[in-house]
Amino acid sequence: MVDDDKLQKLKERIDTAETTNTPPPKQKKQSGAGFGFKISTEIIAALVVGVGIGLIVDKYLGTKPFGLIIFFIFGAIAGFLNVYRVMRRIEKQ
């Protein structure tokens, strides 16, 4: 009798734990506009950072166009690398 009560209480505790600890539902697929916004944001942010660093380098080192050109290229490469990473992450989902 006592064992049955303990087993019943344990079963109830397991049931409540299972219902409260269920994993969250998987995200819905992103819409086309949301996906495009994410990709464009990745590229633009990397380009802005690259151009900003290039302008700062040109100002302090006195290399007028070269810092901007070099860091613009680095920013573009970084932006496309970020897009590639986002695409691989979405592909795995």
Side-chain angles (χ1 to χ4, degrees):
M1 203 44 116
V2 175
D3 289 335
D4 289 337
D5 290 338
K6 287 182 181 180
L7 285 175
Q8 185 63 28
K9 287 180 183 179
L10 179 63
K11 185 176 180 350
E12 290 173 4
R13 286 178 54 198
I14 290 172
D15 289 340
T16 56
E18 285 178 349
T19 57
T20 57
N21 293 329
T22 56
K26 292 197 174 200
Q27 290 181 335
K28 295 179 184 176
K29 286 194 173 183
Q30 221 172 4
S31 69
F35 180 70
F37 183 72
K38 187 173 192 172
I39 296 296
S40 63
T41 302
E42 293 284 343
I43 293 175
I44 291 171
L47 286 174
V48 167
V49 169
V51 168
I53 292 172
L55 290 173
I56 291 170
V57 166
D58 282 341
K59 182 178 179 181
Y60 287 109
L61 298 179
T63 57
K64 194 64 169 175
F66 297 113
L68 178 63
I69 292 169
I70 290 170
F71 281 98
F72 177 81
I73 292 170
F74 284 160
I77 291 169
F80 286 113
L81 184 62
N82 287 341
V83 168
Y84 176 72
R85 288 178 184 157
V86 168
M87 295 293 281
R88 288 201 48 193
R89 191 178 326 131
I90 289 173
E91 188 178 275
K92 286 181 182 179
Q93 288 181 353

